[in-house]
């Protein structure tokens, strides 16, 4: 944690400051507004993801450059799709082609705004993509590209299906899950959707690769250890704390599809236990365990949790099953919020 606060976070903010300057120069007002809002409102995504740069050893700065650029694309496109006048799945698909290209050093950049009226971003999205590609131009990346593109494609599919017109969202997500149900029969469609919505597996794969410790066996194991359970736990926690907010704004929230709070609690416990089992199979297991327990502790300590029904029982039981470090992160985050009011988690 000392490394994180003294070395990693300052490097993250240096990268973000560069992209803020680029975003400020975007000619189109709508694209400029969403680019700046996505960085301002979601800086913590880049901070959290950058912790994986520890695995990159001496190449930690390159790992941060990739993580910040890739996560910035993700957050920018999420804003564009969430707050867009467009409901065109072809538009969302073309925008998210940028994320596939970012993971594919040999791909040429494209006109990602082809299907929308707001187009002139001054080369902002193109430079984000090319920054990712430059970092990934390493001989070892071929060992993991299949896995990063696979996880990235699932993420892209989710973003397309969940942003179309409201009456089409659930049918599309259910139909999509039918293609994977035989592989993951123990998951519900909304849980599978949550599992695809995290970038953690990609950050882990890229960081190990830049650290020079990647081989085919490790690449397979990272994918299995992170998808579906670690990634699913990450996004389900994210949806859990946003339940009231999403209800007020009429946004899709996967937690609302559990039959009752007891079922949701049991399923979260299941995800916690499965995540714990899977990450023990990785090298540096204590590091991954710290990420796992940190996610639980920090999300449950969010101020928004206090407004939720049955939150006290939910938090107590989930911390109990998650481990001592989760409780440590929980109380430390609570204290952090008291000392820094108004700062998002």
């Amino acid at each position: 944690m000392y490394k994180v606060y003294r070395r990693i976070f300052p490097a993250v903010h240096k990268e973000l400051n560069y992209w803020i300057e680029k975003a400020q120069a975007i000619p189109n007002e709508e694209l400029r507004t969403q680019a700046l809002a996505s960085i301002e409102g979601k800086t913590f995504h880049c901070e959290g993801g950058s912790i994986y740069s520890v695995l990159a050893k001496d190449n930690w700065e390159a790992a941060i450059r990739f993580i910040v650029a890739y996560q910035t694309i993700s957050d920018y496109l999420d804003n564009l799709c969430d707050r867009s006048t467009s409901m065109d799945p072809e538009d969302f698909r073309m925008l998210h082609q940028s994320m596939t290209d970012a993971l594919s050093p040999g791909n040429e950049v494209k006109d990602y705004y082809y299907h929308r009226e707001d187009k002139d971003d001054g080369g902002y999205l193109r430079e984000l993509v090319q920054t990712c590609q430059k970092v990934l131009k390493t001989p070892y990346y071929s060992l993991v590209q299949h896995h990063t593109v696979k996880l990235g494609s699932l993420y892209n599919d989710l973003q397309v299906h969940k942003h179309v017109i409201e009456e089409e969202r659930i049918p599309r997500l259910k139909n999509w899950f039918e293609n994977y149900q035989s592989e993951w029969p123990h998951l519900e469609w909304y849980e599978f959707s949550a599992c695809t919505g995290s970038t953690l597996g990609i950050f882990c794969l890229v960081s190990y690769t830049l650290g020079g410790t990647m081989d085919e066996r490790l690449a397979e194991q990272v994918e299995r250890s992170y998808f579906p359970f670690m990634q699913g736990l990450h996004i389900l926690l994210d949806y859990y704390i946003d339940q009231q907010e999403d209800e007020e704004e009429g946004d899709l929230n996967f937690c609302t599809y559990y039959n009752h709070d007891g079922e949701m609690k049991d399923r979260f416990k299941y995800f916690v236990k499965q995540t714990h089992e899977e990450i023990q199979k990785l090298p540096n297991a204590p590091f991954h365990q710290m990420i796992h327990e940190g996610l639980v502790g920090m999300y449950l300590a969010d101020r928004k949790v206090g407004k939720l029904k049955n939150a006290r029982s939910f938090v107590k039981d989930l911390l109990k099953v998650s481990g001592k470090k989760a409780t440590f992160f929980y109380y430390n985050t609570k204290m952090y919020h008291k000392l820094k009011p108004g700062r998002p988690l």
Side-chain angles (χ1 to χ4, degrees):
M1 294 312 294
Y2 179 81
K3 267 185 196 174
V4 166
Y5 284 109
R6 294 303 300 268
R7 190 174 75 175
I8 291 172
F9 281 1
V12 169
H13 286 277
K14 184 181 175 185
E15 291 292 324
L16 282 173
N17 287 338
Y18 175 82
W19 294 115
I20 288 169
E21 282 188 24
K22 289 290 179 181
Q24 287 169 337
I26 293 174
N28 180 278
E29 184 180 357
E30 173 63 13
L31 299 180
R32 182 172 66 251
T33 299
Q34 298 306 340
L36 289 169
S38 69
I39 295 175
E40 184 182 348
K42 299 173 181 177
T43 293
F44 62 101
H45 286 171
C46 291
E47 289 174 338
S50 70
I51 293 171
Y52 283 97
S53 66
V54 170
L55 300 174
K57 300 178 182 174
D58 291 343
N59 283 324
W60 63 275
E61 288 175 298
I64 288 174
R65 193 170 307 119
F66 169 82
I67 289 165
V68 170
Y70 191 78
Q71 188 62 49
T72 298
I73 299 173
S74 169
D75 292 336
Y76 172 53
L77 298 189
D78 196 44
N79 269 35
L80 281 185
C81 296
D82 264 344
R83 293 157 180 81
S84 175
T85 51
S86 165
M87 291 289 183
D88 179 6
E90 291 303 312
D91 174 35
F92 301 148
R93 181 70 66 190
M94 193 65 201
L95 283 172
H96 283 87
Q97 177 63 37
S98 65
M99 296 188 76
T100 300
D101 292 344
L103 296 171
S104 310
N107 285 13
E108 289 187 12
V109 293
K110 300 169 183 66
D111 177 9
Y112 303 116
Y113 304 103
Y114 180 81
H115 294 288
R116 58 174 45 218
E117 290 179 17
D118 297 298
K119 293 177 181 288
D120 189 4
D121 73 352
Y124 177 70
L125 184 53
R126 175 178 296 185
E127 188 175 345
L128 282 164
V129 170
Q130 290 172 330
T131 298
C132 294
Q133 290 178 331
K134 282 175 190 171
V135 174
L136 299 180
K137 278 184 180 174
T138 164
Y140 297 109
Y141 181 62
S142 60
L143 295 170
V144 302
Q145 185 170 349
H146 164 73
H147 301 281
T148 57
V149 170
K150 177 182 173 182
L151 292 174
S153 296
L154 288 168
Y155 176 90
N156 295 349
D157 288 344
L158 172 68
Q159 297 306 312
V160 172
H161 296 319
K162 79 169 193 172
H163 283 113
V164 295
I165 57 173
E166 196 168 340
E167 56 266 31
E168 287 186 13
R169 289 173 188 171
I170 307 308
R172 286 181 72 115
L173 288 167
K174 286 181 175 179
N175 289 338
W176 177 47
F177 177 52
E178 284 180 9
N179 299 320
Y180 300 95
Q181 195 164 10
S182 60
E183 191 176 353
W184 306 111
H186 47 281
L187 297 180
E188 299 294 336
W189 67 266
Y190 44 90
E191 292 174 329
F192 174 79
S193 295
C195 297
T196 65
S198 173
T199 49
L200 296 185
I202 290 172
F203 295 159
C204 186
L205 284 162
V206 169
S207 295
Y208 266 131
T209 301
L210 292 172
T213 53
M214 184 54 70
D215 56 36
E216 288 180 13
R217 186 178 172 187
L218 177 56
E220 291 278 355
Q221 188 58 59
V222 169
E223 184 188 319
R224 283 199 302 271
S225 292
Y226 271 76
F227 185 87
F229 296 109
M230 177 77 135
Q231 293 200 167
L233 180 63
H234 171 210
I235 300 303
L236 285 171
L237 284 164
D238 197 50
Y239 276 104
Y240 175 74
I241 69 169
D242 284 341
Q243 284 178 94
Q244 185 175 328
E245 195 176 285
D246 289 344
E247 187 178 352
E248 289 167 1
E249 295 180 11
D251 289 339
L252 182 71
N253 189 304
F254 295 129
C255 288
T256 62
Y257 295 96
Y258 289 110
N259 293 316
H260 48 79
D261 285 349
E263 182 188 35
M264 179 166 66
K265 188 196 293 185
D266 287 344
R267 292 301 289 172
F268 272 57
K269 286 181 180 178
Y270 172 71
F271 269 80
V272 165
K273 289 173 181 175
Q274 292 298 122
T275 300
H276 178 76
E277 281 182 27
E278 288 298 331
I279 59 180
Q280 302 314 312
K281 301 170 186 174
L282 287 168
N284 320 105
F287 170 84
H288 300 283
Q289 187 69 20
M290 181 198 73
I291 299 277
H292 163 41
E293 294 183 38
L295 279 173
V296 175
M298 289 190 286
Y299 268 106
L300 293 182
D302 193 283
R303 288 189 186 92
K304 291 182 274 191
V305 173
K307 300 175 184 176
L308 299 175
K309 188 178 67 172
N310 300 327
R312 184 171 292 184
S313 163
F314 187 92
V315 169
K316 182 182 175 184
D317 288 358
L318 209 59
L319 286 176
K320 188 176 179 181
V321 77
S322 296
K324 290 179 181 177
K325 286 195 190 78
T327 304
F328 167 81
F329 281 111
Y330 175 77
Y331 284 111
N332 271 266
T333 306
K334 283 273 193 187
M335 184 61 68
Y336 182 69
H337 285 323
K338 282 183 181 177
L339 296 174
K340 300 241 181 182
R343 182 182 172 92
L345 177 63

